[in-house]
């Protein structure tokens, strides 16, 4: 299936994005999610439609993210018109949209949504993108863009219990590692996701340990 219409749409929607949620992030999510799916399901290589569903949700997921999208409902309406033109059936469109609307970390703080299998791989890949070397770079890019300080020992990490608290509480970038990023490995759905998340989390923990050592010189 040709996803050119999808990728062109994402490039246009995210052309001004500078907080780590740009087209290349979506591209990496799409590629990593489909790679993990095929590794975990070696007999599925001929099922190109599942891979297309995974890649499409991966590319599109941040185009309706409330953090960076002024009108998610309007963008969602455009996507609903776009996907049948790409060649997706009504049921496939339903799966893609459900994944996009229910995969975020914030949407699952108070209630865990059960995603379709395709969505589980997209969710894992998106969370893996928050880990490791790229995850560190994205954390500081996002924090800087939103005026968060790098670290302040007077501001303690909080236990996140609701969507509104997550969006509105006073945060530092280093606290974000403790409040969210270090928790993600335990939230992975898939075998491939769990393995990659553990590896990247170890790298990230070493980074934060070194950061705190240098801070406390």
């Amino acid at each position: 299936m040709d996803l050119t219409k999808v990728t062109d749409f994402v490039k246009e929607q995210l052309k001004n994005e500078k907080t780590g949620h740009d087209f290349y992030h979506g591209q990496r999510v799409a590629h990593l999610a489909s790679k993990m799916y095929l590794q975990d399901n070696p007999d599925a290589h001929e099922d190109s439609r599942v891979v297309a569903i995974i890649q499409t949700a991966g590319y599109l997921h941040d185009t309706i993210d409330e953090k960076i999208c002024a009108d998610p409902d309007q963008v969602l309406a455009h996507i609903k018109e776009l996907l049948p033109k790409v060649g997706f059936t009504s049921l496939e469109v339903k799966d893609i949209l459900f994944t996009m609307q229910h995969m975020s970390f914030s949407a699952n703080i108070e209630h865990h949504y059960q995603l379709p299998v395709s969505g589980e791989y997209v969710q894992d890949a998106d969370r893996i993108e928050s880990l490791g070397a790229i995850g560190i770079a994205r954390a500081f890019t996002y924090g800087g863009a939103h005026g968060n300080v790098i670290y302040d020992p007077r501001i303690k990490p909080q236990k996140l219990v609701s969507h509104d608290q997550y969006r509105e509480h006073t945060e530092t970038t280093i606290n974000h590692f403790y409040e969210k990023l270090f928790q993600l490995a335990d939230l992975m759905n898939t075998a491939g996701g769990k393995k990659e998340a553990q590896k990247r989390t170890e790298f990230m923990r070493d980074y934060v340990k070194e950061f705190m050592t240098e801070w406390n010189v």
Side-chain angles (χ1 to χ4, degrees), residues 5-17:
K5 288 186 173 68
V6 171
T7 57
D8 286 347
F9 179 83
V10 176
K11 288 175 183 177
E12 177 62 25
Q13 290 296 312
L14 301 180
K15 62 183 178 182
N16 297 318
E17 167 53 33

Side-chain angles (χ1 to χ4, degrees), residues 6 9-10 14 20-30 33 53-69 72 75-76 79 96-97 99-105 119 122-123 125-127 129-130 138:
V6 171
F9 179 83
V10 176
L14 301 180
H21 300 79
D22 57 9
F23 170 79
Y24 294 108
H25 162 65
Q27 184 180 65
R28 291 192 302 271
V29 170
I53 290 168
I54 290 171
Q55 291 189 338
T56 297
Y59 274 114
L60 287 169
H61 75 281
D62 271 340
T63 61
I64 61 166
D65 191 315
E66 62 184 2
K67 298 190 299 297
I68 59 175
C69 179
V75 177
L76 193 64
I79 293 172
I96 292 168
L97 297 180
T99 292
M100 292 173 59
Q101 293 174 288
H102 297 90
M103 63 179 276
S104 71
F105 177 82
V122 178
Q123 185 181 61
D126 184 43
R127 290 175 172 178
E129 268 280 293
S130 297
R138 293 180 70 229

Side-chain angles (χ1 to χ4, degrees), residues 1 49 82-89 92:
M1 185 178 293
R49 296 196 73 86
L82 172 67
L83 294 182
K85 296 177 182 177
V86 176
F88 290 107
T89 67
E92 291 169 341

